[in-house]
Amino acid sequence: MTRLTIALFSLLALPAAALAQQAGDAAKGEKVFAQCKACHEAEKGVNKVGPTLKGMIGRNVASVPDYKYSTAMLDYAKTHPVWTDELFLTYIENPKKEVPGTKMAFAGVKKPDDRANLLAYLKTKN
């Protein structure tokens, strides 16, 4: 193999390694979700203080029927139309920083592993 070929394979492996590291553990994520349960649910598709998180990943931002979103979240949805894995991970780290003026009072999930695990759990609820 040439050095160029080896270099290309190494570069291609980086995203896969990053995704594997980000994959998370849904069982651990269910425990992290306990922090969210006071305001959100992910099973029945009903709104509480916050909108349901059932089916969140891949859904349009600020699109849950019968939920009154803040103006800040509606504005955010104009530039961030879909809840992707990456968007969720950024948002949940510090919701008030990501969306100043959001109604969400939660300070965020600070540990990267907890965020990845929470994401894995929510993906089981799609």
Side-chain angles (χ1 to χ4, degrees), residues 1 5 11 18 24 28 33 36 39 47-48 54 61 73 75 77 88 92 94 102-104 116-118 122 125:
M1 288 182 127
T5 304
L11 286 174
K28 290 179 181 177
F33 186 73
C36 312
C39 298
N47 299 323
K48 293 172 75 173
K54 182 176 179 65
V61 173
M73 186 56 83
D75 289 343
F88 173 76
I92 202 61
N94 189 338
T102 182
K103 293 192 300 186
M104 190 159 147
N117 293 338
L118 180 57
L122 289 176
K125 303 304 175 186

Side-chain angles (χ1 to χ4, degrees), residues 13-54:
L14 286 176
L19 286 174
Q21 195 174 25
Q22 184 184 31
D25 179 317
K28 290 179 181 177
E30 185 173 11
K31 292 176 184 173
V32 177
F33 186 73
Q35 300 173 52
C36 312
K37 281 187 171 184
C39 298
H40 297 279
E41 70 81 39
E43 295 290 333
K44 301 174 191 167
V46 297
N47 299 323
K48 293 172 75 173
V49 172
T52 181
L53 301 182
K54 182 176 179 65

Side-chain angles (χ1 to χ4, degrees), residues 6 20 28 30 37 42 55 60 74 79 82 84 87 89 99 112 126:
I6 292 170
K28 290 179 181 177
E30 185 173 11
K37 281 187 171 184
N60 289 346
L74 293 170
T79 57
V82 176
T84 63
L87 183 61
L89 292 170
V99 183
N126 278 354

Side-chain angles (χ1 to χ4, degrees), residues 60-118:
N60 289 346
V61 173
S63 66
V64 172
D66 302 320
Y67 185 78
K68 184 166 174 46
Y69 290 94
S70 65
T71 301
M73 186 56 83
L74 293 170
D75 289 343
Y76 184 73
K78 293 174 186 173
T79 57
H80 302 82
V82 176
W83 284 114
T84 63
D85 293 6
E86 295 79 15
L87 183 61
F88 173 76
L89 292 170
T90 299
Y91 175 78
I92 202 61
E93 181 177 4
N94 189 338
K96 288 199 171 289
K97 179 181 176 190
E98 185 68 13
V99 183
T102 182
K103 293 192 300 186
M104 190 159 147
F106 183 63
V109 178
K110 301 305 178 199
K111 294 180 182 175
D113 287 347
D114 286 348
R115 290 192 301 272
N117 293 338
L118 180 57

